[in-house]
Structures are given as C-alpha cells and as structure tokens.
Amino acid sequence: ISLRVWLFHIVTIVMATGENDSPQLSMAESKDETCSTFLVHKEGHTMGNALRYVVSKHKDVEFCGYSIHHPSDEKVHLRIQTAIRGKERVDCRQVLAESLDVLMGICDHMKDTFDQTAVATEKSMEEENTR
C-alpha cells in the first residue's frame, strides 16, 4: 500500500475490518482530549518515527513519543499530549489530523522531487548515449 493511501486512511480515520489489509488507526480510551494514545496497526518504526517527528513540531504539542512493544508486534503506540492555552484545550485528534496533512505534503514533495530528478537523469543519459 502506498504511503499516500495509508495517510489518507489515517486522516479520514477509516477503521478497517479484519478483511481489509490496509493499516488501521484506533485510539485508546481517554477521558482528556489533550492526551491520548493512538494505535497504528500494521506499521513499524519507519512510520512511527515519521509521525512522531511531524507531530512533535506542531505548536500545540507538549509531548509526543511512540513505542513498539515487541519487535514482532506490528503496532505503533503513538502518544500525544497537547497544551492547555488558558481555558482552551487543544484536542490531540485535531493535532494528529493536521500533522498527517503536513506529512502528506512532505511525502508529495519528496515524490515530486524524485520524479523530476529521475526524468532529468534519464534525459541526460539519453543525450550522452546519442553522442
């Protein structure tokens, strides 16, 4: 499954059934919207660290970390704790959605840059071969 499709599933918070092979996102029960643990099924350190990095850069995040409890466990536990600004409580689900949008933008930029470089390299190789 492509990263963009995976992120689309997460952003829209689509819960897959057992028959679907795509990654799933679930949220552990939390009584406080400013701190929650999200479980990302069928993923590992690559996605966990990318999510942790982007979420931690959000202006309203006080803490973000992830763990994988066992190497054979394909489940990332992503913990997000957001700030309380006066009487306003920042919902960590909103922060996660915004961070995933940012991550999708980063992935799109990387893909576009790679595609442009591949086309330019292929073109220069063709020119070199015609000499």
Side-chain angles (χ1 to χ4, degrees):
I1 188 165
S2 74
L3 180 61
R4 182 136 179 92
V5 171
W6 183 88
L7 289 172
F8 176 77
H9 282 292
I10 299 298
V11 170
T12 57
I13 312 201
V14 172
M15 299 303 297
T17 63
E19 298 112 41
N20 195 335
D21 221 17
S22 63
Q24 303 171 32
L25 174 72
S26 59
M27 187 172 109
E29 267 191 53
S30 176
K31 295 178 182 175
D32 183 4
E33 69 270 9
T34 64
C35 58
S36 289
T37 300
F38 298 89
L39 301 176
V40 184
H41 303 271
K42 299 181 184 175
E43 286 297 341
H45 287 287
T46 303
M47 186 56 63
N49 197 38
L51 282 172
R52 180 208 52 83
Y53 177 79
V54 174
V55 170
S56 68
K57 295 296 181 186
H58 192 283
K59 64 181 173 53
D60 293 320
V61 171
E62 290 183 348
F63 172 80
C64 181
Y66 83 95
S67 64
I68 297 176
H69 291 188
H70 190 274
S72 66
D73 191 12
E74 291 182 324
K75 191 178 347 176
V76 174
H77 298 252
L78 181 70
R79 179 74 176 175
I80 301 173
Q81 184 174 337
T82 57
I84 299 173
R85 307 262 183 242
K87 293 183 178 182
E88 183 184 338
R89 302 169 76 80
V90 180
D91 191 334
C92 59
R93 291 173 296 187
Q94 181 63 33
V95 167
L96 179 60
E98 291 171 12
S99 298
L100 287 164
D101 284 339
V102 169
L103 187 56
M104 284 191 337
I106 291 168
C107 293
D108 286 343
H109 174 73
M110 287 174 53
K111 183 184 180 310
D112 292 345
T113 302
F114 178 83
D115 290 344
Q116 290 170 3
T117 304
V119 167
T121 302
E122 188 175 293
K123 191 175 186 178
S124 71
M125 289 176 71
E126 286 176 1
E127 288 173 2
E128 213 172 275
N129 288 339
T130 58
R131 289 184 200 171

